[in-house]
Amino acid sequence: MTISGNRGFFFFLLFCIYSGVVLIRGDYPFRNVSLPWEARVDNLVSLLTLDEIQQQMAFGGHGSQVSPAPAIPRLGVGPYSWNTECLDGDVDAGPATSFPQALGLAATFRLLQNRNVAHVDRLPYVAHHNHLHPLHSPDLVERVARATGLEVRAKYNNYTQHGLYGDHRGLSCFSPVINIMRDPRWGRNQETYGEDPILSGILATSFVHGLQGNDTRYVLANAGCKHFDVHGGPENIPVGRDSFDAQVSDRDWRSTFLPAFKACVEAGTYSLMCSYNSINGVPACANGVLLTDILRTEWGFTGYVVSDENALEQIITGHHYVNDNVTAAAVAIEAGVSLEVSSQNTHNIFTNIVAAVKAGEISEDTVRSRVKPLFYTRMRLGEFDPPDMNPYTQVNVSLVQSPAHRDLALEAAVKSLVLLKNQNGFLPLKQRFNRIAVVGPMSNSPAVLYGDYSPTIDEDLTVTPFGGLLQLSDVTVSEDGCTDPRCTIYEPANVIDVVKSSELTFVCLGTSNMIESEGNDRADLELPGKQLQLLQDAVTAADGKPVVLLLFNAGPLNITWAVQSPGVVAILECFFPAQSAGTAIFMALTNYGGVSSPAGRLPATWPLLASQIPEMVNYSMVGRTYRYFEGLTLYPFGYGLSYTTFTYSELRTPDTLTPGEDLVLQVTVTNTGEVTADEVTQVYVQWINSSVPTPRLQLVAFNRTTLYPSQPQTLTFTVKASYLEVYTDNGWEFEPGLLLVYVGGQQPYQEPSVGSNVLDAVIVMKTGR
């Protein structure tokens, strides 16, 4: 008999109770907590029939027919749901704290690299050994991931106590997304950490560490880095992702698309998700070079690979790589896939595993080896140990939307905001107004403030821009002006009326998930619909009174008119800040408490012209991202203004470096203005005389530091030796030559400039002493 789903297992438990059947035997070695993990896993898998293994590998999908993985009653193994999403909070599993979307988190550039921070953040609580302790880390992404993991675990504990299983009720997260933002039109840019592979890898490491916890034996919730690999558009323009074949050079693959995933593996992720696309003619989920040669042999990964939803079916129908389900199952398993995510019922690909073994297309030993990481993960999550051994069983739903987590969501939102324009120092606002207007399709709609894969929206806890800006005036008027975020239908009269009668106007524009999201690329970089006209009407109606532009988007927008218009006195990039949007915007615009000066930095280049962007289907990195882009920009990578100024001095670097030696450097930064603020220090390198093509610049270190006026602070950076290697025909190598190092609050020689200086030094790379 096969039992699957919530009700089946529940009735089976009742049957066992009333019939006196012993459900769980304590003498199985896989339940012996004194044995090594590998021995326990080997024992459990040895007890499974091939049919049972097939069900464990085939039921990782979405929907009641393919989730959860069924129970194995004779061994006392319960159901388990694999498809949990944790990108910016616990997704679709009931109430959860909503943090800013990933791209906004990347804009915070908040990292535990320089420990000499000027203040201590208010911290959430985390499980550690047998107690709950605060996470003592200024690393914002790690703290967000920890809070998310705690809420995922809290709800899992509650669900399992009530016998509830299924979608989004497990502990295994399909997060983070660490694809490179290689094309500004890609619909899923919002889910990434931007365009730089080192930045993405560092933030992925923070996310994995935060989500998985810091207990030495048990995992809080396990990470699953995606989408592996060479995945970054198209979704649907000009072709569909399910059949797209990314043609990539070995150098671009190794130096752009693989590094963040390698960092994720080194951080200890338990899972990776293979992507929809093919790579040089081979579907990613059937790609043995990717999933075995690189991932397992080179990097030493021992976790599980899960398919993207229906990606295994696309091996046949999209890529036409094989012709039938049995062969598709065999090639995916042989390549390295352990778990299928599918929306199909019993006809999905991995329900053909037994048939593939019988047909001789895959060995049973290979199948058994693929299922082992699934049970190893479940063991490390604590499923097969006594509950009192696992500190995470203490976590309960009181943490969900707790005051500490809501404070963290607000902190993250404030730190994500990027000030793009501040004409004549108009901001911060220092007065209360009689009447202000908040206009535009993003002004008062909670839904447009959240990115894709967000937690369930709680409108009672969501503060819109209008709601946050109410504090600025005696009378605040909101007017959408458009019937939807696309602004295809625009009615100017009401907008003009409210702007004319107001002292200050905020125009809230952007994209929302209707414009850019999974399966939904943008055709261009223009403001959607009639949004530009709305902005122009507002500036005209204001007749010299100030207009502030607030942007809610992921990919760059053509806001050249606003940048050049003297009527738009300030522009604030907000990304998708989620539940705390309005409060965060109010704090940043007013420098609330004297410590809320915007200090986010753009994690991706904003091109000046659409004609500068290569075709979406062209996977060469030539002309893409700040690393290879040579033209003028509207805003460069790393750009962001402040309410104060910073000066760099006393750069100290070694004269020489040898192979395997980290680069340790020091620099002094001083707040030369009158406002306490955060500064993001950026360290770039440039290879002067390499024998192979290299990026024009490469970010190798960064940190965000709070500085008081006239306060100099000496920062120390350690750049990993591997970041200084170049990719040659022999692989990654340390090359003798000259290395130019730049340190400052922006890229060297960038336009537009943020105003601070950039220091440089030359280091000789030597092969001998």
Side-chain angles (χ1 to χ4, degrees):
M1 177 176 66
T2 299
I3 305 292
S4 65
N6 305 344
R7 298 181 64 187
F9 187 62
F10 175 74
F11 286 119
F12 178 77
L13 286 173
L14 291 179
F15 168 78
C16 292
I17 292 170
Y18 285 105
S19 62
V21 173
V22 177
L23 179 64
I24 301 175
R25 294 183 58 187
D27 55 347
Y28 287 124
F30 77 83
R31 294 192 180 276
N32 185 343
V33 297
S34 65
L35 290 177
W37 297 110
E38 290 75 11
R40 297 175 65 186
V41 171
D42 288 346
N43 171 252
L44 175 52
V45 173
S46 73
L47 299 172
L48 301 179
T49 68
L50 191 57
D51 285 305
E52 288 169 333
I53 291 174
Q54 174 175 282
Q55 289 188 313
Q56 295 301 309
M57 295 175 66
F59 283 74
H62 178 77
S64 59
Q65 294 181 311
V66 285
S67 177
I72 309 171
R74 65 185 182 84
L75 300 177
V77 175
Y80 186 75
S81 176
W82 292 98
N83 63 318
T84 296
E85 301 279 358
C86 311
L87 184 64
D88 47 14
D90 189 12
V91 179
D92 290 340
T97 307
S98 292
F99 299 97
Q101 178 61 296
L103 192 63
L105 291 176
T108 66
F109 278 77
R110 185 74 164 130
L111 173 70
L112 178 58
Q113 180 154 3
N114 167 55
R115 294 179 180 272
N116 297 320
V117 293
H119 68 282
V120 177
D121 298 308
R122 182 172 180 178
L123 304 173
Y125 285 88
V126 300
H128 181 64
H129 300 295
N130 295 318
H131 304 281
L132 291 174
H133 295 289
L135 175 61
H136 295 292
S137 168
D139 188 322
L140 184 63
V141 170
E142 183 177 349
R143 288 190 283 131
V144 166
R146 185 65 52 83
T148 299
L150 285 167
E151 296 196 4
V152 168
R153 172 64 76 160
K155 286 189 275 186
Y156 169 83
N157 290 344
N158 185 58
Y159 287 135
T160 54
Q161 288 168 8
H162 292 86
L164 299 174
Y165 301 88
D167 291 339
H168 306 292
R169 290 174 175 172
L171 292 169
S172 299
C173 295
F174 296 163
S175 311
V177 176
I178 54 174
N179 299 113
I180 297 302
M181 186 177 169
R182 55 174 280 277
D183 192 297
R185 298 160 298 194
W186 184 37
R188 302 191 76 169
N189 283 326
Q190 58 172 289
E191 301 176 44
T192 76
Y193 293 134
E195 69 183 23
D196 184 77
I198 290 180
L199 172 65
S200 297
I202 289 171
L203 296 181
T205 298
S206 296
F207 188 96
V208 171
H209 288 168
L211 187 73
Q212 295 189 170
N214 55 2
D215 190 80
T216 55
R217 180 177 179 87
Y218 297 104
V219 177
L220 176 61
N222 78 272
C225 300
K226 64 183 188 182
H227 308 83
F228 195 54
D229 189 41
V230 197
H231 186 70
E235 292 289 298
N236 65 327
I237 299 175
V239 297
R241 61 183 179 174
D242 296 333
S243 59
F244 178 67
D245 180 18
Q247 294 290 316
V248 63
S249 70
D250 190 51
R251 175 163 288 107
D252 282 342
W253 195 8
R254 293 286 184 164
S255 59
T256 295
F257 299 106
L258 286 174
F261 286 97
K262 186 173 187 288
C264 193
V265 170
E266 292 172 344
T269 186
Y270 278 68
S271 174
L272 272 76
M273 176 182 283
C274 55
S275 53
Y276 285 116
N277 55 286
S278 285
I279 304 168
N280 296 333
V282 182
C285 292
N287 198 311
V289 171
L290 177 69
L291 303 183
T292 294
D293 297 349
I294 294 174
L295 179 59
R296 290 184 168 83
T297 303
E298 289 187 29
W299 297 352
F301 179 69
T302 57
Y304 66 93
V305 173
V306 57
S307 76
D308 207 338
E309 186 170 6
N310 300 327
L312 298 191
E313 285 90 337
Q314 297 300 333
I315 293 174
I316 304 169
T317 60
H319 300 286
H320 307 291
Y321 188 69
V322 299
N323 297 321
D324 61 88
N325 289 359
V326 172
T327 305
V331 298
I333 293 169
E334 189 67 51
V337 179
S338 293
L339 182 66
E340 178 176 13
V341 174
S342 175
S343 60
Q344 305 295 318
N345 52 27
T346 55
H347 300 294
N348 60 346
I349 298 300
F350 272 6
T351 57
N352 296 276
I353 290 175
V354 173
V357 172
K358 289 180 178 178
E361 295 197 32
I362 190 76
S363 71
E364 183 172 337
D365 286 345
T366 300
V367 172
R368 288 185 178 275
S369 71
R370 292 291 182 255
V371 82
K372 285 181 180 181
L374 301 180
F375 284 105
Y376 175 76
T377 301
R378 291 170 68 173
M379 282 188 182
R380 294 302 301 270
L381 290 165
E383 182 177 342
F384 303 116
D385 288 6
D388 59 2
M389 288 185 64
N390 185 350
Y392 297 127
T393 60
Q394 303 173 25
V395 179
N396 61 65
V397 293
S398 66
L399 286 177
V400 177
Q401 283 282 19
S402 65
H405 288 186
R406 286 155 62 182
D407 285 350
L408 180 59
L410 175 58
E411 177 194 345
V414 172
K415 290 179 176 175
S416 71
L417 303 176
V418 181
L419 184 61
L420 299 179
K421 180 179 179 180
N422 192 20
Q423 185 171 292
N424 299 323
F426 177 78
L427 299 176
L429 300 172
K430 300 181 178 67
Q431 69 179 86
R432 185 175 178 84
F433 297 87
N434 293 323
R435 182 183 178 93
I436 67 171
V438 186
V439 302
M442 313 305 191
S443 61
N444 200 26
S445 172
V448 300
L449 304 175
Y450 293 75
D452 213 0
Y453 288 102
S454 70
T456 302
I457 295 174
D458 186 335
E459 295 198 7
D460 291 337
L461 292 176
T462 301
V463 182
T464 65
F466 171 72
L469 297 174
L470 284 171
Q471 304 172 72
L472 288 175
S473 68
D474 298 325
V475 177
T476 304
V477 182
S478 176
E479 177 60 50
D480 290 352
C482 306
T483 57
D484 65 272
R486 294 180 184 273
C487 205
T488 52
I489 299 176
Y490 166 52
E491 299 171 352
N494 290 344
V495 170
I496 292 171
D497 286 344
V498 299
V499 171
K500 279 184 175 180
S501 59
S502 299
E503 298 172 79
L504 171 65
T505 296
F506 297 92
V507 179
C508 304
L509 306 177
T511 56
S512 85
N513 292 333
M514 294 174 63
I515 307 297
E516 52 179 340
S517 57
E518 182 176 6
N520 194 17
D521 295 321
R522 289 189 293 161
D524 54 46
L525 303 185
E526 301 304 311
L527 285 164
K530 304 293 181 59
Q531 287 191 18
L532 177 57
Q533 183 182 341
L534 187 156
L535 174 62
Q536 293 170 335
D537 287 345
V539 170
T540 299
D543 193 24
K545 291 176 291 187
V547 173
V548 175
L549 175 60
L550 305 178
L551 295 173
F552 302 86
N553 58 293
L557 291 166
N558 178 9
I559 55 167
T560 306
W561 187 88
V563 172
Q564 297 174 347
S565 171
V568 178
V569 296
I571 304 173
L572 190 68
E573 171 58 54
C574 305
F575 303 100
F576 296 117
Q579 66 183 50
S580 302
T583 306
I585 291 166
F586 167 78
M587 291 176 65
L589 293 176
T590 60
N591 192 25
Y592 182 80
V595 292
S596 303
S597 173
R601 302 292 185 260
L602 291 179
T605 304
W606 284 37
L608 183 63
L609 302 171
S611 59
Q612 296 170 310
I613 309 169
E615 292 297 319
M616 175 82 83
V617 295
N618 177 4
Y619 260 78
S620 168
M621 290 305 297
V622 174
R624 292 191 185 275
T625 76
Y626 81 93
R627 299 167 71 226
Y628 301 102
F629 182 75
E630 298 287 352
L632 297 175
T633 62
L634 183 62
Y635 291 115
F637 173 90
Y639 182 88
L641 300 174
S642 175
Y643 294 155
T644 189
T645 55
F646 302 97
T647 300
Y648 287 84
S649 61
E650 300 179 52
L651 173 62
R652 293 177 287 278
T653 68
D655 295 327
T656 62
L657 283 175
T658 56
E661 184 180 2
D662 291 343
L663 167 60
V664 180
L665 60 88
Q666 287 187 328
V667 70
T668 298
V669 58
T670 304
N671 181 342
T672 51
E674 299 179 353
V675 175
T676 298
D678 288 1
E679 166 68 329
V680 174
T681 302
Q682 303 165 43
V683 181
Y684 295 90
V685 298
Q686 183 180 41
W687 292 267
I688 299 301
N689 52 357
S690 174
S691 66
V692 296
T694 57
R696 55 174 288 275
L697 284 175
Q698 175 60 63
L699 180 76
V700 292
F702 58 91
N703 193 31
R704 178 168 174 155
T705 312
T706 302
L707 296 169
Y708 298 103
S710 303
Q711 176 201 29
Q713 189 166 144
T714 298
L715 308 178
T716 300
F717 294 91
T718 299
V719 179
K720 293 169 60 174
S722 60
Y723 293 169
L724 306 178
E725 295 176 342
V726 298
Y727 190 75
T728 73
D729 293 340
N730 299 318
W732 289 102
E733 291 186 324
F734 176 98
E735 273 202 339
L738 300 180
L739 186 74
L740 188 54
V741 180
Y742 297 98
V743 183
Q746 60 184 345
Q747 294 181 46
Y749 315 115
Q750 78 172 33
E751 289 295 337
S753 170
V754 300
S756 65
N757 62 320
V758 176
L759 304 179
D760 61 76
V762 177
I763 300 174
V764 179
M765 312 283 277
K766 300 175 63 175
T767 56
R769 295 185 181 275

